[in-house]
Amino acid sequence: MKQSQLFTKTTKETPRGATFISHQLFLRGGFIFRHASGIYTLLPLGLMVLRKIENLIRKEFEEIGIQEVRMSILHPAELWKKTGRWDTAGKELWKIKSRNEEDLVLAMTHEETISAIAANTVRSENELPMIVNQFQTKIRDEERPRGGLLRLREFIMQDAYSFDKDEENLDKSFKKMVEVYNKIFKRIELIAIPVKASTGLMGGSDSYEFMVLAESGEDRIAICPKCNFAANLEVLKNAEKCPQCGTEMKIKRTIEVAHAFKLGTKYSKAMNILYEDKKGKKHFVQMGCYGIGLERAMATIVEIYHDEKGIIWPKEIAPFDVHLLSLGSKNEAIKEKIQMTSEKLYQELQEVKIEVLYDDRKEKSAGEKFADADLIGIPLRIVVSEKTLKEDSVEIKKRGEKEIQLIKLSDLKNLSDFISSPASD
Ligand SMILES: [Zn+2]
């Protein structure tokens, strides 16, 4: 994409009221637009990152046979009355009325709807286990939306539900989901610690939060420096010693990026999800649910991966692979040569499926282009300038590293080597 045609622009000023670094950088970099507290539009760059995360999760899920659905955001109130959550969900549940005085709920979560479907589809033991997933908007009447994309009133969640014939198999599905989550977090370069948590509103028998250590986090966990046992402070109550090895626990600030619950039969009993075993006897299914907030994951990544100049995107979820900067020159002939070389490179990179943001803006100085590249945080920067063309070269620099390399234009065929190598090397 040509940067001259990008829908949004960057700004130098730190936006007022944005205290979290991810919030500041998303606004300054033109990733998001704020409409009201906790309500944002994802602009092209922001949407690209969100879709990368979404597709990465989708691919991992497809590999282990998870099917995708998309459930409605409008729910009839009856569903929520059946599980009792119409009354117990609290003020965060957004209730509305239709013109015909019909009570409706804006989806805060989807246990009720998936259960209504499963009650109608699950029949026999042979169909289990089953895991289905969706990416869908959730609406929550948050008392205190904050931190830009960290706590929203409207957001997108990856939301999977498992159905099993007994507790032993629920444990297996749960383990399978924890494993795939670990794989996903590794790919998006977050170190997420599974932490035992309370079950709260969701009910059920067991729950784990995936916590990323971050100074700006609003949650706190207790973690054992010796055996790494970690627990939510609610769960741990006042225990100062590790329940596994007796070492003194350390308190750390964290951001919750995912949650997994063993729901047991809470919803299958309320919604009547039964399967028949081989002898024809009916049983309630055991359910689990597993969610990652996509915008929050995105913001958490930026809370971790940034410097004083801007974002440093991990490779797999960066909006583009390469930021190609074409610099100006006072000499008209050289200026033309720079432009031609840049255009050609832009085409060639796209031909080999490398995603390029091409800074072709004529009115911007070199300094402004460099600052924008650092702010937006694309992993590899390529500069074409008077200086580089003197050497028949381009300049290559990885975001977050100081080293600058001159690469001959004729050697650029091997550019994919730079792009495919891990960010950490
Ligand atoms: Zn311990």
Side-chain angles (χ1 to χ4, degrees):
M1 174 180 270
K2 290 188 173 173
Q3 205 165 341
S4 59
Q5 286 158 24
L6 195 61
F7 184 50
T8 49
K9 310 278 172 282
T10 57
T11 51
K12 279 202 195 84
E13 297 76 35
T14 298
R16 276 177 56 192
T19 51
F20 284 76
I21 190 74
S22 60
H23 193 193
Q24 294 172 7
L25 295 175
F26 281 147
L27 287 167
R28 285 187 49 213
F31 288 79
I32 59 173
F33 183 89
R34 182 184 184 274
H35 296 291
S37 171
I39 305 175
Y40 288 82
T41 285
L42 290 173
L43 297 167
L45 291 175
L47 185 58
M48 282 174 205
V49 174
L50 186 107
R51 284 207 173 129
K52 292 249 167 119
I53 299 174
E54 184 180 317
N55 285 329
L56 182 152
I57 297 173
R58 180 175 286 123
K59 284 223 172 80
E60 289 293 340
F61 280 5
E62 277 170 4
E63 266 182 38
I64 55 169
I66 298 176
Q67 297 171 56
E68 193 168 327
V69 295
R70 182 164 294 175
M71 291 180 271
S72 66
I73 302 172
L74 277 173
H75 301 172
E78 292 88 78
L79 286 180
W80 286 73
K81 284 175 182 166
K82 266 191 187 170
T83 61
R85 292 206 295 182
W86 173 261
D87 297 314
T88 59
K91 287 185 172 169
E92 287 175 5
L93 180 65
W94 216 308
K95 299 171 178 175
I96 57 168
K97 266 191 198 301
S98 74
R99 64 174 75 194
N100 301 321
E101 295 291 302
E102 174 195 14
D103 283 321
L104 295 163
V105 163
L106 295 178
M108 176 171 114
T109 171
H110 281 82
E111 284 74 28
E112 278 76 5
T113 26
I114 194 72
S115 298
I117 301 166
N120 208 34
T121 54
V122 175
R123 290 277 173 272
S124 90
E125 180 174 350
N126 303 329
E127 295 159 17
L128 304 173
M130 177 73 79
I131 306 178
V132 288
N133 178 58
Q134 70 166 353
F135 296 95
Q136 182 57 294
T137 298
K138 309 271 173 172
I139 313 272
R140 228 168 260 202
D141 194 354
E142 280 288 347
E143 191 181 4
R144 231 162 38 96
R146 67 195 210 113
L149 299 191
L150 282 168
R151 189 173 286 282
L152 294 163
R153 289 195 277 176
E154 178 185 326
F155 53 97
I156 298 168
M157 267 189 87
Q158 167 281 311
D159 209 12
Y161 298 91
S162 67
F163 302 91
D164 281 286
K165 61 178 182 181
D166 51 31
E167 280 180 54
E168 198 188 329
N169 280 285
L170 168 59
D171 287 346
K172 282 186 194 162
S173 292
F174 195 86
K175 201 168 159 244
K176 187 172 165 176
M177 289 305 296
V178 169
E179 275 166 15
V180 75
Y181 271 6
N182 284 335
K183 221 167 147 189
I184 289 162
F185 286 123
K186 201 169 173 197
R187 284 185 66 188
I188 64 176
E189 298 185 32
L190 283 180
I191 299 165
I193 310 163
V195 174
K196 209 169 158 42
S198 71
T199 51
L201 169 71
M202 305 300 259
S205 63
D206 209 356
S207 118
Y208 281 86
E209 286 166 339
F210 289 75
M211 296 297 212
V212 172
L213 297 180
E215 283 303 318
S216 55
E218 59 178 343
D219 290 314
R220 287 181 310 153
I221 60 165
I223 186 162
C224 170
K226 197 173 168 197
C227 76
N228 283 332
F229 171 84
N232 178 311
L233 290 187
E234 257 177 87
V235 168
L236 210 61
K237 302 279 182 321
N238 296 319
E240 286 166 1
K241 298 261 157 70
C242 171
Q244 282 188 13
C245 72
T247 309
E248 198 159 318
M249 304 282 276
K250 290 247 179 315
I251 308 291
K252 297 270 186 191
R253 290 197 158 272
T254 57
I255 302 173
E256 178 199 329
V257 287
H259 212 144
F261 295 90
K262 286 183 190 170
L263 299 170
T265 55
K266 177 182 154 109
Y267 295 90
S268 56
K269 279 181 177 156
M271 306 292 284
N272 221 24
I273 318 174
L274 291 151
Y275 73 89
E276 233 175 59
D277 67 16
K278 290 185 178 85
K279 290 172 189 151
K281 201 178 163 221
K282 293 197 168 180
H283 307 268
F284 289 111
V285 300
Q286 292 277 339
M287 286 173 62
C289 79
Y290 317 87
I292 298 176
L294 299 193
E295 288 97 336
R296 186 184 290 181
M298 223 172 118
T300 306
I301 289 161
V302 176
E303 289 293 324
I304 310 271
Y305 296 104
H306 66 266
D307 61 15
E308 68 289 352
K309 291 173 178 170
I311 301 172
I312 306 170
W313 287 113
K315 275 197 175 69
E316 291 225 48
I317 57 156
F320 294 90
D321 301 316
V322 165
H323 203 161
L324 173 62
L325 275 52
S326 176
L327 304 189
S329 167
K330 281 180 189 125
N331 180 314
E332 279 303 319
I334 293 169
K335 198 162 140 185
E336 201 168 309
K337 198 183 167 203
I338 294 170
Q339 272 174 29
M340 274 173 56
T341 309
S342 306
E343 283 287 338
K344 191 164 167 272
L345 192 52
Y346 176 52
Q347 298 303 335
E348 285 170 355
L349 288 168
Q350 290 187 105
E351 275 161 28
V352 291
K353 305 279 178 242
I354 289 170
E355 296 168 340
V356 190
L357 180 62
Y358 170 29
D359 195 347
D360 60 332
R361 297 173 301 174
K362 297 199 169 62
E363 72 285 5
K364 295 284 179 188
S365 69
E368 286 171 311
K369 290 188 177 194
F370 287 132
D372 273 359
D374 283 337
L375 176 58
I376 294 169
I378 294 165
L380 195 69
R381 189 185 78 189
I382 300 180
V383 177
V384 184
S385 68
E386 184 168 352
K387 197 177 86 191
T388 70
L389 286 187
K390 262 186 201 150
E391 312 277 334
D392 283 318
S393 297
V394 296
E395 183 194 285
I396 289 188
K397 182 183 166 295
K398 285 184 183 172
R399 180 69 182 94
E401 288 178 18
K402 287 207 170 74
E403 194 199 346
I404 292 173
Q405 279 179 278
L406 272 185
I407 305 275
K408 292 276 179 213
L409 279 163
S410 54
D411 289 340
L412 269 179
K413 285 180 209 76
N414 302 322
L415 191 68
S416 48
D417 295 346
F418 289 93
I419 291 159
S420 54
S421 60
S424 51
D425 64 29

